[in-house]
Amino acid sequence: MHPEVLAMLRVAVVASPPVSMFNLAIPELLFEKVRVDGEPGYEVVICAPEPGPMPTTGTVDLYVPHGLEALLEAHTVIVAGTGRPLTPDPRVVEALRGAAAAGKRIASICSGAFSLAEAGLLKGRKATTYWAQAGELRRRHPEIDFQGDVLFVQDGPLLTASGYAAGIDLCLHIVRTDYGAAIANEVARLALVAPVRPGGQTQFAQTPLPPERGTACADTRGWAMRNLDKPLTLTDLARHAGVSVRTLTRRFQAESGVSPLQWLLHQRVERAKELLETTRLPMDQVAAACGLGTADSLRAHLVRRTGLTPSAYRAQFSRHGNPAGSGTPAVA
């Protein structure tokens, strides 16, 4: 699914007044950090029904330079949340219909889902929105297959995210779909946010790995990452850190928010995902390379984390999935 990209992909972010500054900032923050062979992977364009000054849901105003014609020049359209979600701008609605007819990938963050629904794009499709507005979206649009209590959901070329930080997960998912897990995880590291989370996680779920809050175990974490193919134990980790198992566990929990073995399992699964995406290694070799032991163990852990079997995950996200030379990442 990730052939060599010949040109930057354009992302048009739609702002309707009063726009959520946080929603609006997420796509620009994340997509602008994407680099492919040292070159930018995306161009982000902010647009609105009326270019010019625009009020926000906060205490500042902003200036939006582009009109809705930017949608037809984009590969991906993202509708940011607004403080007036129940009255989508008819111009935005019409522009979204045109973008859908032109085959664009279209996404929404938070209350932006109301604009997609008003345009008729979500009829019969799975979709979500911020939990506080879920009841109203269901009432107004019973034709939607509403997915409650998830971070984001994709149905064909349509993606909808729940509130606030779930927009980060949605954008990282788009990056991973276009360029693979390695680049998506690098963007997450640069932005100091969690790695890609599956969309099916609950809106109230904690980040898989909370932000690290110390460096006492940093060397040991780095050493473990370089030795994921080995059967590391708590004793191995403690020996490398030069402390007792009890001290290691206490420090690890304080710094990482999880136990050493929970952290280690998370890293093994992330490594397995990257190998499934970037190589054609047999499943038993993937399992061995990331320290999960057997193909059955790999399957069990991956299904638990992503809802997909290893073969299904590879089929969906493998860089070898598209015919060579197609030139443009697939719209999943």
Side-chain angles (χ1 to χ4, degrees), residues 99-145:
K104 311 298 182 180
R105 176 171 56 191
I106 301 178
S108 67
I109 299 175
C110 198
S111 62
F114 283 83
S115 293
L116 273 64
E118 189 68 22
L121 305 185
L122 301 181
K123 183 176 181 180
R125 292 187 180 273
K126 296 178 180 179
T128 193
T129 191
Y130 183 46
W131 66 268
Q133 298 161 344
E136 190 62 28
L137 185 65
R138 280 172 160 164
R139 187 183 70 79
R140 288 172 175 257
H141 298 282
E143 73 279 8
I144 295 174
D145 182 5

Side-chain angles (χ1 to χ4, degrees), residues 214-227 237 240-241 252 255 263:
T215 60
C217 296
D219 286 345
T220 296
R221 287 194 293 268
W223 173 78
M225 288 289 291
R226 295 189 297 272
N227 291 276
L237 295 172
H240 182 274
F252 223 99
E255 292 183 11
W263 178 89

Side-chain angles (χ1 to χ4, degrees), residues 2-8 33-42 179 182-183 186 319:
H2 312 285
E4 293 297 321
V5 177
L6 303 180
M8 282 192 299
K33 292 187 181 300
V34 174
R35 292 291 183 273
V36 182
D37 296 329
E39 299 296 325
Y42 295 97
Y179 294 110
I183 290 178
E186 177 63 17
R319 298 190 186 189

Side-chain angles (χ1 to χ4, degrees), residues 241-261:
V243 297
S244 68
V245 168
R246 177 177 295 182
T247 298
L248 174 82
T249 301
R250 184 179 67 251
R251 289 180 180 176
F252 223 99
Q253 187 78 40
E255 292 183 11
S256 302
V258 293
S259 73
L261 293 184

Side-chain angles (χ1 to χ4, degrees), residues 269-282:
V269 174
E270 287 300 304
R271 179 67 58 81
K273 287 159 63 176
E274 290 195 18
L275 290 174
L276 289 170
E277 292 184 22
T278 60
T279 75
R280 291 191 176 94
L281 288 173

Side-chain angles (χ1 to χ4, degrees), residues 199-243:
Q201 285 194 35
T202 169
Q203 289 185 26
F204 301 102
Q206 297 297 317
T207 298
L209 287 185
E212 292 178 0
R213 298 184 291 272
T215 60
C217 296
D219 286 345
T220 296
R221 287 194 293 268
W223 173 78
M225 288 289 291
R226 295 189 297 272
N227 291 276
L228 289 178
D229 58 325
K230 298 179 175 61
L232 302 177
T233 66
L234 269 177
T235 301
D236 295 328
L237 295 172
R239 183 181 298 116
H240 182 274
V243 297

Side-chain angles (χ1 to χ4, degrees), residues 45-60:
V45 175
I46 309 297
C47 58
E50 293 183 13
M54 175 176 291
T56 70
T57 54
T59 59
V60 298

